[in-house]
Amino acid sequence: MSIRGAVLGLLMEQPMTGYEITKRFEHSLARIWPARSNQIYTELKKCESEDLVKLSEIAARNARRYTITDQGRSWVVQWLVERSPPEQQLRFEGLLKANFVALLAPIERQKFLIEEKLYWQEQSAWLMAQMKHLPTSSDTSVLARKHAAEAGLAVYEAMVNWADAMLKVEQVREHASK
């Protein structure tokens, strides 16, 4: 249901075409909830058949612009306030792997940690670049997106710090064994 929530949430901000929604996913939501364009278009069709959205215009190149309905707005509000079931809560494979990194041989572990550090640094850089595109506004939806991006950045930076700390442990171990 999270793709639906994201699609309808975006449509609450403004009417959009499937292409525009896909681009918004690519530029701001893909790192937290990836969705392919075919998933987005499929969800739009389902939402239209359930009267959650309606076609508001057919734009250039036959682009279908959708508007959220009152029923769709109610769906979003219910989705936002409803607690996610345990199986839908945080699933973070990077953090899961962090729990078991000690199972690797020292050489593999060091290589893994270096690669993880670089990966999370790249993710941080990408998110910071995306944050620069957020409008400077005190509008609640813009502020919510900004603070969500900052929370994501904190997670990425925490993973960089974890990899750094573990690399220091490896260096101490290596030095002690000599």
Side-chain angles (χ1 to χ4, degrees):
M1 286 301 176
S2 295
I3 290 176
R4 175 172 287 191
V7 166
L8 292 175
L10 289 171
L11 289 174
M12 277 184 77
E13 293 177 359
Q14 68 186 51
M16 291 187 216
T17 64
Y19 177 80
E20 291 167 334
I21 292 170
T22 300
K23 287 298 168 195
R24 289 288 292 276
F25 259 91
E26 288 174 9
H27 294 292
S28 64
L29 301 175
R31 300 291 161 108
I32 54 172
W33 203 273
R36 295 180 309 277
S37 63
N38 65 325
Q39 292 174 296
I40 291 167
Y41 282 100
T42 299
E43 195 58 45
L44 274 171
K45 290 283 185 208
K46 288 178 186 176
C47 288
E48 186 177 24
S49 71
E50 295 173 31
D51 296 322
L52 301 175
V53 301
K54 66 180 180 182
L55 181 64
S56 58
E57 76 170 295
I58 297 180
R61 292 190 223 142
N62 207 26
R64 301 167 63 90
R65 187 170 310 282
Y66 293 91
T67 303
I68 193 165
T69 63
D70 288 341
Q71 188 174 333
R73 288 178 193 284
S74 295
W75 190 97
V76 171
V77 169
Q78 181 61 37
W79 172 70
L80 286 171
V81 299
E82 192 173 87
R83 179 66 44 211
S84 297
E87 68 272 7
Q88 290 292 316
Q89 292 178 1
L90 181 63
R91 291 181 183 185
F92 187 0
E93 191 171 6
L95 194 52
L96 182 62
K97 287 180 178 182
N99 282 276
F100 299 106
V101 70
L103 300 175
L104 294 172
I107 292 284
E108 292 170 327
R109 187 169 47 241
Q110 188 167 20
K111 182 177 184 256
F112 173 81
L113 292 168
I114 290 167
E115 289 172 358
E116 283 294 286
K117 180 179 176 181
L118 290 173
Y119 175 79
W120 293 112
Q121 286 173 328
E122 289 169 3
Q123 297 307 304
S124 294
W126 179 88
L127 188 52
M128 284 190 282
Q130 295 305 311
M131 289 170 66
K132 289 179 183 174
H133 298 293
L134 286 173
T136 52
S137 168
S138 60
D139 177 74
T140 304
S141 68
V142 172
L143 290 175
R145 205 161 269 147
K146 178 181 180 247
H147 291 306
E150 288 170 350
L153 188 57
V155 169
Y156 294 164
E157 289 173 352
M159 292 304 291
V160 169
N161 293 338
W162 164 78
D164 252 350
M166 290 301 298
L167 282 166
K168 287 176 185 166
V169 167
E170 292 300 311
Q171 289 171 348
V172 168
R173 267 199 199 127
E174 189 177 307
H175 183 54
S177 68
K178 289 184 180 182

